[in-house]
């Protein structure tokens, strides 16, 4: 059904590089630096686009490294104010609904690099200088050191290293385990918070409206998170259904009983 990959591209199990990748990267960079956060208007989007392409072109897409992304990270470097960092895990949509309203707060995607890369796929090939638009390796079926997985691990680590003051995380209480050690939040971000800079991690365990309350602040998975954070000399606090985020959930379900009385 699909045209076969050109001879010089290996075939992988994942979808190929997003069409018009270079243009999307350049356009998103200009949108973010000129409109969303004009305080970053002096960023060089042409150089950022070039650095992003150079991070993976002509390279084995199963041998991506943190080093590949260092030039890009330096060009797109951005300071997040203390007390404004929001992590999330299994709550991508809700976390971004909240930061879209509460624009003083930053998820990784509310930073320049996360904004540029969100939902994109990209890879190249060591035997060619071309972008592979036909297929890219996936963590599950091909290799964990693929360009996209290594990118999110690398920028998530940097996002956590740069955090300061009181940081927040939105967790999904409708899952059996709201905290998963294998997640990017559990495997990368909490281990890269600096105890000398981060005073408190505040967890918000949110339950789907009308969903089951599988997990909550008193559950074993949250106690596991608390033990990891406390061992790192960072204070841990937790709130079930943090009210400002709950209001957002209720916008979509105004008639639900948990939204009509005293949320
Ligand atoms: N588009 C984004 N993707 C990701 C971000 C992010 O901020 N934006 N990630 C990770 N990430 C990719 O999302 C899934 C897992 O999500 P999911 O299983 O829902 O949650 P994770 O904890 O793994 O990752 C979310 C956490 O890491 C950063 C962001 O700062 C959040 O605090 C996996 O492929 C990750 O590589």
């Amino acid at each position: 059904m699909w045209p076969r990959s050109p001879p010089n591209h290996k075939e992988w199990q994942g979808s190929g590089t997003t069409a018009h990748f270079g243009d999307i990267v350049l356009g998103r960079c200009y949108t973010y630096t000129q409109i969303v956060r004009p305080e970053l208007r002096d960023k060089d989007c042409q150089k950022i686009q070039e650095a992003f392409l150079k991070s993976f072109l002509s390279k084995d897409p199963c041998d991506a490294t943190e080093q590949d992304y260092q030039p890009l990270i330096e060009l797109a470097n951005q300071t997040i104010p203390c007390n404004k960092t929001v992590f999330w895990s299994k709550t991508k949509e809700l976390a971004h609904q909240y930061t879209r309203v509460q624009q003083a707060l930053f998820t990784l995607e509310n930073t320049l690099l996360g904004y540029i890369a969100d939902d994109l796929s990209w890879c190249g090939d060591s035997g060619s200088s071309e972008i592979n638009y036909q297929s890219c390796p996936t963590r599950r079926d091909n290799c964990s050191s693929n360009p996209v997985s290594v990118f999110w691990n690398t920028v998530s680590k940097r996002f956590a290293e740069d955090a300061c003051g009181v940081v927040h995380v939105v967790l999904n209480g409708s899952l059996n385990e709201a905290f998963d050690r294998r997640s990017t939040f559990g495997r990368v971000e909490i281990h890269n918070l600096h105890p000398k800079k981060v005073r408190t991690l505040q967890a918000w365990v949110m339950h789907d409206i009308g969903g089951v309350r599988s997990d909550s602040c008193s559950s074993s998975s949250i106690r596991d998170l608390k033990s990891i954070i406390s061992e790192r000399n960072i204070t841990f606090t937790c709130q079930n259904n943090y009210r400002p985020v709950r209001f957002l959930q209720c916008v979509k379900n105004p008639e639900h009983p948990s939204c009509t009385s005293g949320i």
Side-chain angles (χ1 to χ4, degrees), residues 86-92 108-109 118-119 139 149 152-153 156 159 183-186 189:
V86 176
F87 299 106
W88 53 268
S89 190
K90 315 289 191 272
T91 55
K92 182 177 179 183
L108 178 50
E109 282 168 45
D118 186 31
D119 288 338
R139 187 207 307 262
S149 298
W152 287 115
N153 287 341
S156 299
F159 187 55
S183 67
T184 309
F185 173 68
E189 293 173 326

